[in-house]
Amino acid sequence: MKKFASLFLAISMAASASLAAAAEYPSMNVRLSHNQPVGSPEDVGAQTFKKLMEEKSGGRITVDVFPQMQLGSMREQAEMVQMGTLEMSVQPTSVLTPFVEELSVIDFPFLWTDKDELYRIMDGEVGGKFYAFCEKKGFKTLGLWASGFKQMTTRGRPVNAPEDLKGMKIRVMPSPQLVEQYKSWGANPIPIEYAELYNALQQNIVDGQENPLQTIAMAKLYEVQDYLTISDHGFLGYLFIVNSRWFEKQSEDVRNLIVECERGAREAERAAQSEGEAKFLEQIKQSKIAVGELTDENRAKFIEVSKPLHDKFVDGSATKTELLRAVYAAKEAR
């Protein structure tokens, strides 16, 4: 991703101006893991974080980046951060939901109008409400990164309306909410770890799956699928998480440095995701897969069967109800 070299430099210079030059930093090494390939937007963000931390600390703090699930499955990486055997990781909200159930609200289907709305809300006061629940479970959450809106790929027949999913075996992340979501759409959802997804599609263990365009392209899922439906039915957000106890043990200077560098890394990751999306779609279109898009009428059908899920998914939880109402209010306040 040579295009982002100038972006790295600009962010680095901005961070330089914002951090106190006189800060004294201890010598330490921290590890940051993520799930996506080298060169992906998540990796661009992780490498930007590494660059900023090392430059601003004068090389006293070094960061080792572990991409592509080198340290274990997505859940295992989250568990390592929670236990403190790993300092930092970037993980999907769906992966973190079993640890922090309130995060499930972010994954509600057809909740977000567009990325700008999501960023505005999650970077502000409402996002802070979500992150407060994370801290209670051992995760200091610094910000939301972007993988993009999720699309559906299938084998055998395309998905143009909810009824098209009837009886189809659809891979989902190991998330009870996603399982229930696809059941309500008539599908047979099967939780499968991301590392096993390509083989599951290739061996016909499942008929389809959901993921953002970047994942479909970079993992070459189009090689083992017949149809892609641009549905934008949910947003796959990632959270930058840090072990809370480790974070609080650091000096104020180090904590401020981590927060500032994550912010710069988040901007770089989002920019890379946005710029790369058109390229990823073009890459997919060059394959044998047929690409379609939901019509307004069929999108309305999906929204109609999905909106009741918002109330169902809060499941009587006062905290999730409060968070959902806060999101609705923030959407209307635009």
Side-chain angles (χ1 to χ4, degrees):
M1 293 244 176
K2 295 181 179 178
K3 291 183 179 180
F4 304 114
S6 59
L7 179 60
F8 291 170
L9 180 59
I11 292 173
S12 177
M13 292 174 65
S16 297
S18 63
L19 290 168
E24 291 291 335
Y25 300 110
S27 295
M28 70 169 75
N29 174 261
V30 297
R31 295 162 301 157
L32 169 62
S33 73
H34 67 84
N35 312 314
Q36 295 299 320
V38 172
S40 65
E42 288 81 3
D43 192 57
V44 167
Q47 294 296 338
T48 302
F49 180 80
K50 170 184 171 69
K51 180 180 178 69
L52 294 177
M53 286 288 291
E54 293 179 354
E55 286 185 351
K56 298 319 302 165
S57 68
R60 295 183 65 81
I61 301 176
T62 58
V63 179
D64 291 333
V65 176
F66 295 88
Q68 210 159 353
M69 294 188 288
Q70 290 180 4
L71 297 186
S73 70
M74 293 185 287
R75 182 182 176 90
E76 287 169 340
Q77 292 173 69
E79 289 173 341
M80 290 170 68
V81 173
Q82 188 181 47
M83 293 186 296
T85 54
L86 174 65
E87 291 83 18
M88 307 171 180
S89 190
V90 181
Q91 293 297 324
T93 52
S94 293
V95 172
L96 296 170
T97 294
F99 303 90
V100 187
E101 64 175 341
E102 288 80 8
L103 293 176
S104 66
V105 174
I106 301 172
D107 293 328
F108 283 7
F110 294 98
L111 176 62
W112 307 104
T113 304
D114 52 39
K115 285 188 291 187
D116 289 342
E117 176 183 84
L118 174 67
Y119 295 161
R120 174 178 60 83
I121 293 174
M122 291 304 297
D123 289 349
E125 181 181 352
V126 175
K129 293 178 184 291
F130 282 97
Y131 303 155
F133 288 105
C134 296
E135 193 144 4
K136 294 177 182 178
K137 299 300 176 66
F139 302 109
K140 176 69 177 179
T141 304
L142 301 184
L144 182 137
W145 291 21
S147 190
F149 277 98
K150 293 185 287 187
Q151 321 301 345
M152 287 182 266
T153 67
T154 50
R155 187 188 71 253
R157 66 176 184 264
V159 174
N160 296 314
E163 53 265 29
D164 295 328
L165 282 163
K166 186 174 181 179
M168 295 190 82
K169 295 177 291 183
I170 302 296
R171 176 266 176 181
V172 295
M173 286 190 224
S175 161
Q177 180 170 298
L178 290 176
V179 169
E180 184 61 31
Q181 175 180 309
Y182 274 89
K183 281 184 178 178
S184 74
W185 291 349
N188 177 20
I190 300 177
I192 295 175
E193 282 288 346
Y194 175 66
E196 303 168 14
L197 174 55
Y198 187 96
N199 287 338
L201 293 169
Q202 186 178 45
Q203 297 169 13
N204 298 332
I205 295 172
V206 289
D207 304 311
Q209 61 86 48
E210 61 164 22
N211 257 306
L213 291 174
Q214 73 172 55
T215 301
I216 295 169
M218 298 193 79
K220 298 185 178 181
L221 301 181
Y222 53 78
E223 294 179 340
V224 288
Q225 295 279 264
D226 299 326
Y227 300 95
L228 164 68
T229 301
I230 304 297
S231 53
D232 289 346
H233 59 276
F235 195 87
L236 181 52
Y238 280 68
L239 296 181
F240 189 107
I241 54 174
V242 182
N243 176 265
S244 293
R245 293 184 300 278
W246 178 86
F247 184 82
E248 293 304 323
K249 286 180 182 178
Q250 307 309 313
S251 68
E252 183 178 0
D253 285 338
V254 171
R255 294 198 302 269
N256 288 341
L257 178 68
I258 292 170
V259 169
E260 188 74 16
C261 292
E262 185 280 329
R263 187 177 298 117
R266 189 194 322 161
E267 292 172 0
E269 192 276 339
R270 289 179 180 178
Q273 190 278 328
S274 181
E275 184 172 335
E277 201 155 52
K279 180 194 72 174
F280 291 134
L281 181 57
E282 186 58 33
Q283 177 184 337
I284 293 168
K285 286 181 175 179
Q286 295 303 314
S287 72
K288 66 177 179 62
I289 199 169
V291 179
E293 188 170 351
L294 292 182
T295 65
D296 290 343
E297 180 182 358
N298 284 332
R299 175 174 296 278
K301 289 182 181 179
F302 267 108
I303 293 174
E304 183 180 359
V305 298
S306 299
K307 192 65 182 293
L309 292 175
H310 293 189
D311 291 331
K312 181 176 183 179
F313 286 159
V314 299
D315 193 28
S317 165
T319 54
K320 285 194 280 188
T321 298
E322 179 184 349
L323 288 169
L324 182 60
R325 287 175 178 169
V327 170
Y328 283 159
K331 285 165 64 73
E332 293 174 0
R334 185 174 183 174

